[in-house]
């Protein structure tokens, strides 16, 4: 569907893909297209009244797109205060969120203000968390700049920071008011970062879309129609999240396929050297092996999963010297280990996922040992 995108002032028209996401408290639109950054100020004005706002970004993204966006915001009547944090997972902390809130107070932002996150998943999660807690919650606009953030993390309302004990253990559900996916910004994204996005895209394919899985297998990785791909992934995620926004039934937790072991790998690596998508790739290899052993996933399909991850430059084996016992230690902190019981997401068939309570600690240890 092409949505004709117009501001109140009718200053411009663009052919843009739009997906409407229905959160419990409000619905929001995800705009997907090219040239959107140059019109972001007006797009935001369609949803939020112009006022002081925090523009949170990182040291890689702000120098590339910060100026252009700030000028555009000002032209539309907004008053942005740019706050830049060091790039990388290490910025996703409670301390950093607190510092940003202090800077916002010093800049006289108030309950009428809003927050814009310009960056990858780290900035999306951190700026969203700041928006959730500043003055007990102000609106959040996501302007994702990585494939991972566009295809996954900017939609669904999960925000948060990491702790020494594990990933995303402090956070809030705070759905955005608007998401602007300008696929042009992906041109400056390094290949390794692009591949992080494919990890989540392959995850969506495994759990919900056998056809997309096949398209990814058959397609040329250098000729991807990003707008169409992102749109499909947002639809898959939105469909799941709309049924279970706060992960109260099993539905939303299906999105954790590959993440139980993936998060433990990230923690064991102290969030360095292995990026989120890479850890999830390894976690999906382990989950595919467990699915093969326990839930009848065909051996051929297990191999297809591993091959597809490889095709997109994602790791399917841990480096030889990786501290494997620490992965197992880190698993104890996983939120999914409710009341000591393992709730593990498996795929009995590509295109579908379910929970299994048959998976034992021994299975996990075995799958990690084989990575
Ligand atoms: N909230 C959710 O539902 C959800 C879902 C999935 C992942 N996540 C989180 O997302 C994070 C990972 O996100 P990510 O992979 O986007 O990492 P990231 O935000 O660290 O970005 C990756 C790197 O690319 C740089 N970068 C970003 N955009 C760029 C561009 N256009 N050009 C050049 N460089 C650019 C960044 O500065 C960074 O160095 C993790 O913290 C993960 O937990 C959250
Ligand atoms: Zn993820």
């Amino acid at each position: 569907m092409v949505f004709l995108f117009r501001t109140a002032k009718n200053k411009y028209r663009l052919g843009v893909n739009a997906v409407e996401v229905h959160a419990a408290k409000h619905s929001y639109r995800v705009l997907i297209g090219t040239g959107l950054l140059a019109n972001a100020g007006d797009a935001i004005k369609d949803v939020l009244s112009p006022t002081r706002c925090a523009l949170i970004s990182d040291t890689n993204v702000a120098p590339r797109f910060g100026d252009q966006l700030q000028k555009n915001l000002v032209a539309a009547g907004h008053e942005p205060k740019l706050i830049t944090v060091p790039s990388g997972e290490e910025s996703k902390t409670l301390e950093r969120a607190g510092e940003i809130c202090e800077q916002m107070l010093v800049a006289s932002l108030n309950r009428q203000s809003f927050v814009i996150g310009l960056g990858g998943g780290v900035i999306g999660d951190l700026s969203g968390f700041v928006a959730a807690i500043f003055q007990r919650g102000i609106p959040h606009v996501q302007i994702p700049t990585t494939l991972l953030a566009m295809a996954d993390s900017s939609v669904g309302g999960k925000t948060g920071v990491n702790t020494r004990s594990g990933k995303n253990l402090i956070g809030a559900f705070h759905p955005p008011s608007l998401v602007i996916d300008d696929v042009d910004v992906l041109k400056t994204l390094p290949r390794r970062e692009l591949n992080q996005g494919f990890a989540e895209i392959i995850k969506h394919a495994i759990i919900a879309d056998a056809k997309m899985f096949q398209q990814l297998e058959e397609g040329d990785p250098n000729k991807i129609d990003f707008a169409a791909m992102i749109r499909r992934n947002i639809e898959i995620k939105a469909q799941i999240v709309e049924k279970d926004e706060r992960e109260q039934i099993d539905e939303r937790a299906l999105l954790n396929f590959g993440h139980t072991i993936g998060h433990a790998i990230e923690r064991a690596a102290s969030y360095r050297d292995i990026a989120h998508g890479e850890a999830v790739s390894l976690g999906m290899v382990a989950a595919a092996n467990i699915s093969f052993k326990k839930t009848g996933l065909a051996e051929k399909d297990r191999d297809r999963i591993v091959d597809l991850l490889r095709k997109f430059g994602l790791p399917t084996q841990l480096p030889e010297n990786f501290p494997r016992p620490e992965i197992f230690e880190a698993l104890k902190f996983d939120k999914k280990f409710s009341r000591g019981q393992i709730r593990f997401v498996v795929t009995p068939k590509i295109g579908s996922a379910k929970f299994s309570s048959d998976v034992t600690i021994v299975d996990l240890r075995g799958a990690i040992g084989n990575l």
Side-chain angles (χ1 to χ4, degrees), residues 55-70 82-85 87 118-120 123 145:
L55 172 57
I56 302 176
S57 192
D58 75 23
T59 46
N60 283 332
V61 178
R64 286 188 165 91
F65 311 113
D67 259 7
Q68 181 198 357
L69 181 59
Q70 272 195 97
L82 177 66
I83 298 173
T84 306
V85 303
S87 66
L118 171 72
I123 290 298
T145 62

mmCIF file with all atom_site columns, all heavy atoms in Angstrom, residues 55-70 82-85 87 118-120 123 145:
data_model
loop_
_atom_site.group_PDB
_atom_site.id
_atom_site.type_symbol
_atom_site.label_atom_id
_atom_site.label_alt_id
_atom_site.label_comp_id
_atom_site.label_asym_id
_atom_site.label_entity_id
_atom_site.label_seq_id
_atom_site.pdbx_PDB_ins_code
_atom_site.Cartn_x
_atom_site.Cartn_y
_atom_site.Cartn_z
_atom_site.occupancy
_atom_site.B_iso_or_equiv
_atom_site.pdbx_formal_charge
_atom_site.auth_seq_id
_atom_site.auth_comp_id
_atom_site.auth_asym_id
_atom_site.auth_atom_id
_atom_site.pdbx_PDB_model_num
ATOM 1   N N   . LEU A 1 55  ? 16.869 15.701 21.183 1.00 0.00 ? 55  LEU A N   1
ATOM 2   C CA  . LEU A 1 55  ? 17.254 14.870 20.042 1.00 0.00 ? 55  LEU A CA  1
ATOM 3   C C   . LEU A 1 55  ? 18.450 14.050 20.504 1.00 0.00 ? 55  LEU A C   1
ATOM 4   O O   . LEU A 1 55  ? 19.557 14.573 20.660 1.00 0.00 ? 55  LEU A O   1
ATOM 5   C CB  . LEU A 1 55  ? 17.617 15.767 18.847 1.00 0.00 ? 55  LEU A CB  1
ATOM 6   C CG  . LEU A 1 55  ? 18.229 15.091 17.626 1.00 0.00 ? 55  LEU A CG  1
ATOM 7   C CD1 . LEU A 1 55  ? 17.324 13.992 17.080 1.00 0.00 ? 55  LEU A CD1 1
ATOM 8   C CD2 . LEU A 1 55  ? 18.509 16.116 16.525 1.00 0.00 ? 55  LEU A CD2 1
ATOM 9   N N   . ILE A 1 56  ? 18.192 12.768 20.794 1.00 0.00 ? 56  ILE A N   1
ATOM 10  C CA  . ILE A 1 56  ? 19.247 11.921 21.364 1.00 0.00 ? 56  ILE A CA  1
ATOM 11  C C   . ILE A 1 56  ? 19.866 11.077 20.247 1.00 0.00 ? 56  ILE A C   1
ATOM 12  O O   . ILE A 1 56  ? 19.146 10.426 19.475 1.00 0.00 ? 56  ILE A O   1
ATOM 13  C CB  . ILE A 1 56  ? 18.674 11.030 22.496 1.00 0.00 ? 56  ILE A CB  1
ATOM 14  C CG1 . ILE A 1 56  ? 18.042 11.928 23.575 1.00 0.00 ? 56  ILE A CG1 1
ATOM 15  C CG2 . ILE A 1 56  ? 19.764 10.137 23.077 1.00 0.00 ? 56  ILE A CG2 1
ATOM 16  C CD1 . ILE A 1 56  ? 17.351 11.167 24.692 1.00 0.00 ? 56  ILE A CD1 1
ATOM 17  N N   . SER A 1 57  ? 21.198 11.132 20.166 1.00 0.00 ? 57  SER A N   1
ATOM 18  C CA  . SER A 1 57  ? 21.867 10.387 19.106 1.00 0.00 ? 57  SER A CA  1
ATOM 19  C C   . SER A 1 57  ? 23.225 9.903  19.613 1.00 0.00 ? 57  SER A C   1
ATOM 20  O O   . SER A 1 57  ? 23.554 10.099 20.784 1.00 0.00 ? 57  SER A O   1
ATOM 21  C CB  . SER A 1 57  ? 22.015 11.293 17.877 1.00 0.00 ? 57  SER A CB  1
ATOM 22  O OG  . SER A 1 57  ? 22.413 10.531 16.754 1.00 0.00 ? 57  SER A OG  1
ATOM 23  N N   . ASP A 1 58  ? 23.988 9.233  18.743 1.00 0.00 ? 58  ASP A N   1
ATOM 24  C CA  . ASP A 1 58  ? 25.312 8.786  19.186 1.00 0.00 ? 58  ASP A CA  1
ATOM 25  C C   . ASP A 1 58  ? 26.416 9.403  18.337 1.00 0.00 ? 58  ASP A C   1
ATOM 26  O O   . ASP A 1 58  ? 26.159 10.103 17.359 1.00 0.00 ? 58  ASP A O   1
ATOM 27  C CB  . ASP A 1 58  ? 25.388 7.249  19.286 1.00 0.00 ? 58  ASP A CB  1
ATOM 28  C CG  . ASP A 1 58  ? 25.490 6.548  17.938 1.00 0.00 ? 58  ASP A CG  1
ATOM 29  O OD1 . ASP A 1 58  ? 25.933 7.182  16.961 1.00 0.00 ? 58  ASP A OD1 1
ATOM 30  O OD2 . ASP A 1 58  ? 25.138 5.362  17.859 1.00 0.00 ? 58  ASP A OD2 1
ATOM 31  N N   . THR A 1 59  ? 27.650 9.111  18.743 1.00 0.00 ? 59  THR A N   1
ATOM 32  C CA  . THR A 1 59  ? 28.805 9.793  18.140 1.00 0.00 ? 59  THR A CA  1
ATOM 33  C C   . THR A 1 59  ? 29.073 9.382  16.684 1.00 0.00 ? 59  THR A C   1
ATOM 34  O O   . THR A 1 59  ? 29.866 10.024 16.011 1.00 0.00 ? 59  THR A O   1
ATOM 35  C CB  . THR A 1 59  ? 30.072 9.530  18.991 1.00 0.00 ? 59  THR A CB  1
ATOM 36  O OG1 . THR A 1 59  ? 30.104 8.122  19.301 1.00 0.00 ? 59  THR A OG1 1
ATOM 37  C CG2 . THR A 1 59  ? 30.064 10.337 20.263 1.00 0.00 ? 59  THR A CG2 1
ATOM 38  N N   . ASN A 1 60  ? 28.455 8.305  16.214 1.00 0.00 ? 60  ASN A N   1
ATOM 39  C CA  . ASN A 1 60  ? 28.575 7.970  14.780 1.00 0.00 ? 60  ASN A CA  1
ATOM 40  C C   . ASN A 1 60  ? 27.472 8.616  13.965 1.00 0.00 ? 60  ASN A C   1
ATOM 41  O O   . ASN A 1 60  ? 27.679 9.024  12.832 1.00 0.00 ? 60  ASN A O   1
ATOM 42  C CB  . ASN A 1 60  ? 28.444 6.448  14.562 1.00 0.00 ? 60  ASN A CB  1
ATOM 43  C CG  . ASN A 1 60  ? 29.708 5.712  14.927 1.00 0.00 ? 60  ASN A CG  1
ATOM 44  O OD1 . ASN A 1 60  ? 30.789 6.285  14.833 1.00 0.00 ? 60  ASN A OD1 1
ATOM 45  N ND2 . ASN A 1 60  ? 29.572 4.472  15.342 1.00 0.00 ? 60  ASN A ND2 1
ATOM 46  N N   . VAL A 1 61  ? 26.295 8.640  14.538 1.00 0.00 ? 61  VAL A N   1
ATOM 47  C CA  . VAL A 1 61  ? 25.110 9.053  13.772 1.00 0.00 ? 61  VAL A CA  1
ATOM 48  C C   . VAL A 1 61  ? 24.938 10.573 13.776 1.00 0.00 ? 61  VAL A C   1
ATOM 49  O O   . VAL A 1 61  ? 24.634 11.167 12.733 1.00 0.00 ? 61  VAL A O   1
ATOM 50  C CB  . VAL A 1 61  ? 23.846 8.349  14.333 1.00 0.00 ? 61  VAL A CB  1
ATOM 51  C CG1 . VAL A 1 61  ? 22.605 8.792  13.586 1.00 0.00 ? 61  VAL A CG1 1
ATOM 52  C CG2 . VAL A 1 61  ? 24.010 6.826  14.246 1.00 0.00 ? 61  VAL A CG2 1
ATOM 53  N N   . ALA A 1 62  ? 25.165 11.201 14.932 1.00 0.00 ? 62  ALA A N   1
ATOM 54  C CA  . ALA A 1 62  ? 24.946 12.661 15.025 1.00 0.00 ? 62  ALA A CA  1
ATOM 55  C C   . ALA A 1 62  ? 25.765 13.435 13.983 1.00 0.00 ? 62  ALA A C   1
ATOM 56  O O   . ALA A 1 62  ? 25.221 14.303 13.302 1.00 0.00 ? 62  ALA A O   1
ATOM 57  C CB  . ALA A 1 62  ? 25.223 13.149 16.445 1.00 0.00 ? 62  ALA A CB  1
ATOM 58  N N   . PRO A 1 63  ? 27.066 13.122 13.814 1.00 0.00 ? 63  PRO A N   1
ATOM 59  C CA  . PRO A 1 63  ? 27.822 13.890 12.806 1.00 0.00 ? 63  PRO A CA  1
ATOM 60  C C   . PRO A 1 63  ? 27.308 13.666 11.377 1.00 0.00 ? 63  PRO A C   1
ATOM 61  O O   . PRO A 1 63  ? 27.481 14.524 10.524 1.00 0.00 ? 63  PRO A O   1
ATOM 62  C CB  . PRO A 1 63  ? 29.252 13.341 12.931 1.00 0.00 ? 63  PRO A CB  1
ATOM 63  C CG  . PRO A 1 63  ? 29.302 12.611 14.219 1.00 0.00 ? 63  PRO A CG  1
ATOM 64  C CD  . PRO A 1 63  ? 27.912 12.168 14.525 1.00 0.00 ? 63  PRO A CD  1
ATOM 65  N N   . ARG A 1 64  ? 26.682 12.523 11.131 1.00 0.00 ? 64  ARG A N   1
ATOM 66  C CA  . ARG A 1 64  ? 26.205 12.244 9.771  1.00 0.00 ? 64  ARG A CA  1
ATOM 67  C C   . ARG A 1 64  ? 24.860 12.907 9.481  1.00 0.00 ? 64  ARG A C   1
ATOM 68  O O   . ARG A 1 64  ? 24.654 13.488 8.433  1.00 0.00 ? 64  ARG A O   1
ATOM 69  C CB  . ARG A 1 64  ? 26.051 10.727 9.573  1.00 0.00 ? 64  ARG A CB  1
ATOM 70  C CG  . ARG A 1 64  ? 27.376 10.015 9.437  1.00 0.00 ? 64  ARG A CG  1
ATOM 71  C CD  . ARG A 1 64  ? 27.161 8.562  9.057  1.00 0.00 ? 64  ARG A CD  1
ATOM 72  N NE  . ARG A 1 64  ? 28.385 7.979  8.581  1.00 0.00 ? 64  ARG A NE  1
ATOM 73  C CZ  . ARG A 1 64  ? 29.270 7.354  9.349  1.00 0.00 ? 64  ARG A CZ  1
ATOM 74  N NH1 . ARG A 1 64  ? 29.056 7.231  10.642 1.00 0.00 ? 64  ARG A NH1 1
ATOM 75  N NH2 . ARG A 1 64  ? 30.379 6.860  8.833  1.00 0.00 ? 64  ARG A NH2 1
ATOM 76  N N   . PHE A 1 65  ? 23.928 12.752 10.407 1.00 0.00 ? 65  PHE A N   1
ATOM 77  C CA  . PHE A 1 65  ? 22.555 13.182 10.101 1.00 0.00 ? 65  PHE A CA  1
ATOM 78  C C   . PHE A 1 65  ? 22.002 14.222 11.075 1.00 0.00 ? 65  PHE A C   1
ATOM 79  O O   . PHE A 1 65  ? 20.905 14.738 10.866 1.00 0.00 ? 65  PHE A O   1
ATOM 80  C CB  . PHE A 1 65  ? 21.609 11.968 10.094 1.00 0.00 ? 65  PHE A CB  1
ATOM 81  C CG  . PHE A 1 65  ? 22.126 10.809 9.269  1.00 0.00 ? 65  PHE A CG  1
ATOM 82  C CD1 . PHE A 1 65  ? 22.502 9.613  9.873  1.00 0.00 ? 65  PHE A CD1 1
ATOM 83  C CD2 . PHE A 1 65  ? 22.243 10.932 7.894  1.00 0.00 ? 65  PHE A CD2 1
ATOM 84  C CE1 . PHE A 1 65  ? 22.989 8.557  9.114  1.00 0.00 ? 65  PHE A CE1 1
ATOM 85  C CE2 . PHE A 1 65  ? 22.724 9.878  7.122  1.00 0.00 ? 65  PHE A CE2 1
ATOM 86  C CZ  . PHE A 1 65  ? 23.103 8.692  7.727  1.00 0.00 ? 65  PHE A CZ  1
ATOM 87  N N   . GLY A 1 66  ? 22.740 14.503 12.154 1.00 0.00 ? 66  GLY A N   1
ATOM 88  C CA  . GLY A 1 66  ? 22.238 15.383 13.207 1.00 0.00 ? 66  GLY A CA  1
ATOM 89  C C   . GLY A 1 66  ? 21.951 16.802 12.732 1.00 0.00 ? 66  GLY A C   1
ATOM 90  O O   . GLY A 1 66  ? 20.887 17.360 13.020 1.00 0.00 ? 66  GLY A O   1
ATOM 91  N N   . ASP A 1 67  ? 22.889 17.372 11.972 1.00 0.00 ? 67  ASP A N   1
ATOM 92  C CA  . ASP A 1 67  ? 22.749 18.765 11.515 1.00 0.00 ? 67  ASP A CA  1
ATOM 93  C C   . ASP A 1 67  ? 21.522 18.951 10.641 1.00 0.00 ? 67  ASP A C   1
ATOM 94  O O   . ASP A 1 67  ? 20.706 19.844 10.862 1.00 0.00 ? 67  ASP A O   1
ATOM 95  C CB  . ASP A 1 67  ? 23.985 19.147 10.675 1.00 0.00 ? 67  ASP A CB  1
ATOM 96  C CG  . ASP A 1 67  ? 24.942 19.968 11.508 1.00 0.00 ? 67  ASP A CG  1
ATOM 97  O OD1 . ASP A 1 67  ? 24.671 20.098 12.723 1.00 0.00 ? 67  ASP A OD1 1
ATOM 98  O OD2 . ASP A 1 67  ? 25.938 20.456 10.927 1.00 0.00 ? 67  ASP A OD2 1
ATOM 99  N N   . GLN A 1 68  ? 21.454 18.073 9.632  1.00 0.00 ? 68  GLN A N   1
ATOM 100 C CA  . GLN A 1 68  ? 20.339 18.142 8.673  1.00 0.00 ? 68  GLN A CA  1
ATOM 101 C C   . GLN A 1 68  ? 19.005 18.033 9.418  1.00 0.00 ? 68  GLN A C   1
ATOM 102 O O   . GLN A 1 68  ? 18.084 18.821 9.195  1.00 0.00 ? 68  GLN A O   1
ATOM 103 C CB  . GLN A 1 68  ? 20.474 16.987 7.667  1.00 0.00 ? 68  GLN A CB  1
ATOM 104 C CG  . GLN A 1 68  ? 19.391 16.978 6.609  1.00 0.00 ? 68  GLN A CG  1
ATOM 105 C CD  . GLN A 1 68  ? 19.280 15.620 5.903  1.00 0.00 ? 68  GLN A CD  1
ATOM 106 O OE1 . GLN A 1 68  ? 20.047 14.690 6.169  1.00 0.00 ? 68  GLN A OE1 1
ATOM 107 N NE2 . GLN A 1 68  ? 18.305 15.503 5.011  1.00 0.00 ? 68  GLN A NE2 1
ATOM 108 N N   . LEU A 1 69  ? 18.944 17.083 10.353 1.00 0.00 ? 69  LEU A N   1
ATOM 109 C CA  . LEU A 1 69  ? 17.686 16.876 11.067 1.00 0.00 ? 69  LEU A CA  1
ATOM 110 C C   . LEU A 1 69  ? 17.362 18.071 11.964 1.00 0.00 ? 69  LEU A C   1
ATOM 111 O O   . LEU A 1 69  ? 16.217 18.542 12.002 1.00 0.00 ? 69  LEU A O   1
ATOM 112 C CB  . LEU A 1 69  ? 17.749 15.579 11.888 1.00 0.00 ? 69  LEU A CB  1
ATOM 113 C CG  . LEU A 1 69  ? 16.489 15.229 12.660 1.00 0.00 ? 69  LEU A CG  1
ATOM 114 C CD1 . LEU A 1 69  ? 15.282 15.079 11.728 1.00 0.00 ? 69  LEU A CD1 1
ATOM 115 C CD2 . LEU A 1 69  ? 16.666 13.945 13.470 1.00 0.00 ? 69  LEU A CD2 1
ATOM 116 N N   . GLN A 1 70  ? 18.392 18.584 12.657 1.00 0.00 ? 70  GLN A N   1
ATOM 117 C CA  . GLN A 1 70  ? 18.152 19.734 13.542 1.00 0.00 ? 70  GLN A CA  1
ATOM 118 C C   . GLN A 1 70  ? 17.595 20.919 12.769 1.00 0.00 ? 70  GLN A C   1
ATOM 119 O O   . GLN A 1 70  ? 16.639 21.560 13.191 1.00 0.00 ? 70  GLN A O   1
ATOM 120 C CB  . GLN A 1 70  ? 19.462 20.143 14.201 1.00 0.00 ? 70  GLN A CB  1
ATOM 121 C CG  . GLN A 1 70  ? 19.737 19.399 15.477 1.00 0.00 ? 70  GLN A CG  1
ATOM 122 C CD  . GLN A 1 70  ? 20.833 20.080 16.278 1.00 0.00 ? 70  GLN A CD  1
ATOM 123 O OE1 . GLN A 1 70  ? 20.555 20.845 17.178 1.00 0.00 ? 70  GLN A OE1 1
ATOM 124 N NE2 . GLN A 1 70  ? 22.069 19.797 15.944 1.00 0.00 ? 70  GLN A NE2 1
ATOM 125 N N   . LEU A 1 82  ? 20.206 18.878 21.118 1.00 0.00 ? 82  LEU A N   1
ATOM 126 C CA  . LEU A 1 82  ? 20.940 17.663 20.720 1.00 0.00 ? 82  LEU A CA  1
ATOM 127 C C   . LEU A 1 82  ? 21.746 17.121 21.899 1.00 0.00 ? 82  LEU A C   1
ATOM 128 O O   . LEU A 1 82  ? 22.520 17.848 22.516 1.00 0.00 ? 82  LEU A O   1
ATOM 129 C CB  . LEU A 1 82  ? 21.868 17.979 19.537 1.00 0.00 ? 82  LEU A CB  1
ATOM 130 C CG  . LEU A 1 82  ? 22.750 16.812 19.057 1.00 0.00 ? 82  LEU A CG  1
ATOM 131 C CD1 . LEU A 1 82  ? 21.911 15.685 18.453 1.00 0.00 ? 82  LEU A CD1 1
ATOM 132 C CD2 . LEU A 1 82  ? 23.785 17.291 18.032 1.00 0.00 ? 82  LEU A CD2 1
ATOM 133 N N   . ILE A 1 83  ? 21.544 15.857 22.197 1.00 0.00 ? 83  ILE A N   1
ATOM 134 C CA  . ILE A 1 83  ? 22.328 15.195 23.244 1.00 0.00 ? 83  ILE A CA  1
ATOM 135 C C   . ILE A 1 83  ? 22.988 13.978 22.598 1.00 0.00 ? 83  ILE A C   1
ATOM 136 O O   . ILE A 1 83  ? 22.299 13.081 22.098 1.00 0.00 ? 83  ILE A O   1
ATOM 137 C CB  . ILE A 1 83  ? 21.436 14.762 24.429 1.00 0.00 ? 83  ILE A CB  1
ATOM 138 C CG1 . ILE A 1 83  ? 20.787 16.001 25.067 1.00 0.00 ? 83  ILE A CG1 1
ATOM 139 C CG2 . ILE A 1 83  ? 22.241 13.975 25.464 1.00 0.00 ? 83  ILE A CG2 1
ATOM 140 C CD1 . ILE A 1 83  ? 19.751 15.703 26.143 1.00 0.00 ? 83  ILE A CD1 1
ATOM 141 N N   . THR A 1 84  ? 24.310 13.963 22.598 1.00 0.00 ? 84  THR A N   1
ATOM 142 C CA  . THR A 1 84  ? 25.035 12.887 21.915 1.00 0.00 ? 84  THR A CA  1
ATOM 143 C C   . THR A 1 84  ? 25.727 12.001 22.936 1.00 0.00 ? 84  THR A C   1
ATOM 144 O O   . THR A 1 84  ? 26.396 12.505 23.839 1.00 0.00 ? 84  THR A O   1
ATOM 145 C CB  . THR A 1 84  ? 26.086 13.498 20.960 1.00 0.00 ? 84  THR A CB  1
ATOM 146 O OG1 . THR A 1 84  ? 25.410 14.410 20.090 1.00 0.00 ? 84  THR A OG1 1
ATOM 147 C CG2 . THR A 1 84  ? 26.758 12.442 20.111 1.00 0.00 ? 84  THR A CG2 1
ATOM 148 N N   . VAL A 1 85  ? 25.570 10.698 22.794 1.00 0.00 ? 85  VAL A N   1
ATOM 149 C CA  . VAL A 1 85  ? 26.237 9.751  23.711 1.00 0.00 ? 85  VAL A CA  1
ATOM 150 C C   . VAL A 1 85  ? 27.235 8.920  22.893 1.00 0.00 ? 85  VAL A C   1
ATOM 151 O O   . VAL A 1 85  ? 27.092 8.801  21.676 1.00 0.00 ? 85  VAL A O   1
ATOM 152 C CB  . VAL A 1 85  ? 25.218 8.821  24.434 1.00 0.00 ? 85  VAL A CB  1
ATOM 153 C CG1 . VAL A 1 85  ? 24.182 9.615  25.188 1.00 0.00 ? 85  VAL A CG1 1
ATOM 154 C CG2 . VAL A 1 85  ? 24.543 7.854  23.455 1.00 0.00 ? 85  VAL A CG2 1
ATOM 155 N N   . SER A 1 87  ? 28.859 5.998  20.912 1.00 0.00 ? 87  SER A N   1
ATOM 156 C CA  . SER A 1 87  ? 28.173 4.912  20.214 1.00 0.00 ? 87  SER A CA  1
ATOM 157 C C   . SER A 1 87  ? 28.480 3.588  20.910 1.00 0.00 ? 87  SER A C   1
ATOM 158 O O   . SER A 1 87  ? 29.513 3.444  21.561 1.00 0.00 ? 87  SER A O   1
ATOM 159 C CB  . SER A 1 87  ? 28.635 4.851  18.757 1.00 0.00 ? 87  SER A CB  1
ATOM 160 O OG  . SER A 1 87  ? 29.989 4.484  18.715 1.00 0.00 ? 87  SER A OG  1
ATOM 161 N N   . LEU A 1 118 ? 17.556 9.295  17.440 1.00 0.00 ? 118 LEU A N   1
ATOM 162 C CA  . LEU A 1 118 ? 18.118 9.188  16.084 1.00 0.00 ? 118 LEU A CA  1
ATOM 163 C C   . LEU A 1 118 ? 19.321 8.255  16.166 1.00 0.00 ? 118 LEU A C   1
ATOM 164 O O   . LEU A 1 118 ? 20.390 8.644  16.642 1.00 0.00 ? 118 LEU A O   1
ATOM 165 C CB  . LEU A 1 118 ? 18.550 10.582 15.590 1.00 0.00 ? 118 LEU A CB  1
ATOM 166 C CG  . LEU A 1 118 ? 19.350 10.618 14.274 1.00 0.00 ? 118 LEU A CG  1
ATOM 167 C CD1 . LEU A 1 118 ? 18.449 10.293 13.080 1.00 0.00 ? 118 LEU A CD1 1
ATOM 168 C CD2 . LEU A 1 118 ? 20.021 11.982 14.067 1.00 0.00 ? 118 LEU A CD2 1
ATOM 169 N N   . GLY A 1 119 ? 19.145 7.022  15.738 1.00 0.00 ? 119 GLY A N   1
ATOM 170 C CA  . GLY A 1 119 ? 20.263 6.079  15.817 1.00 0.00 ? 119 GLY A CA  1
ATOM 171 C C   . GLY A 1 119 ? 19.790 4.640  15.697 1.00 0.00 ? 119 GLY A C   1
ATOM 172 O O   . GLY A 1 119 ? 18.660 4.369  15.294 1.00 0.00 ? 119 GLY A O   1
ATOM 173 N N   . GLY A 1 120 ? 20.667 3.734  16.073 1.00 0.00 ? 120 GLY A N   1
ATOM 174 C CA  . GLY A 1 120 ? 20.346 2.305  16.010 1.00 0.00 ? 120 GLY A CA  1
ATOM 175 C C   . GLY A 1 120 ? 19.527 1.870  17.217 1.00 0.00 ? 120 GLY A C   1
ATOM 176 O O   . GLY A 1 120 ? 18.956 2.696  17.939 1.00 0.00 ? 120 GLY A O   1
ATOM 177 N N   . ILE A 1 123 ? 20.301 3.517  20.677 1.00 0.00 ? 123 ILE A N   1
ATOM 178 C CA  . ILE A 1 123 ? 19.708 4.838  20.891 1.00 0.00 ? 123 ILE A CA  1
ATOM 179 C C   . ILE A 1 123 ? 18.184 4.724  21.033 1.00 0.00 ? 123 ILE A C   1
ATOM 180 O O   . ILE A 1 123 ? 17.573 5.403  21.859 1.00 0.00 ? 123 ILE A O   1
ATOM 181 C CB  . ILE A 1 123 ? 20.099 5.786  19.725 1.00 0.00 ? 123 ILE A CB  1
ATOM 182 C CG1 . ILE A 1 123 ? 21.585 6.124  19.826 1.00 0.00 ? 123 ILE A CG1 1
ATOM 183 C CG2 . ILE A 1 123 ? 19.246 7.055  19.724 1.00 0.00 ? 123 ILE A CG2 1
ATOM 184 C CD1 . ILE A 1 123 ? 21.995 6.856  21.101 1.00 0.00 ? 123 ILE A CD1 1
ATOM 185 N N   . THR A 1 145 ? 18.253 4.322  12.448 1.00 0.00 ? 145 THR A N   1
ATOM 186 C CA  . THR A 1 145 ? 19.246 4.466  11.371 1.00 0.00 ? 145 THR A CA  1
ATOM 187 C C   . THR A 1 145 ? 19.989 3.167  11.071 1.00 0.00 ? 145 THR A C   1
ATOM 188 O O   . THR A 1 145 ? 20.905 3.162  10.264 1.00 0.00 ? 145 THR A O   1
ATOM 189 C CB  . THR A 1 145 ? 20.275 5.566  11.720 1.00 0.00 ? 145 THR A CB  1
ATOM 190 O OG1 . THR A 1 145 ? 20.977 5.164  12.909 1.00 0.00 ? 145 THR A OG1 1
ATOM 191 C CG2 . THR A 1 145 ? 19.614 6.915  11.933 1.00 0.00 ? 145 THR A CG2 1
#
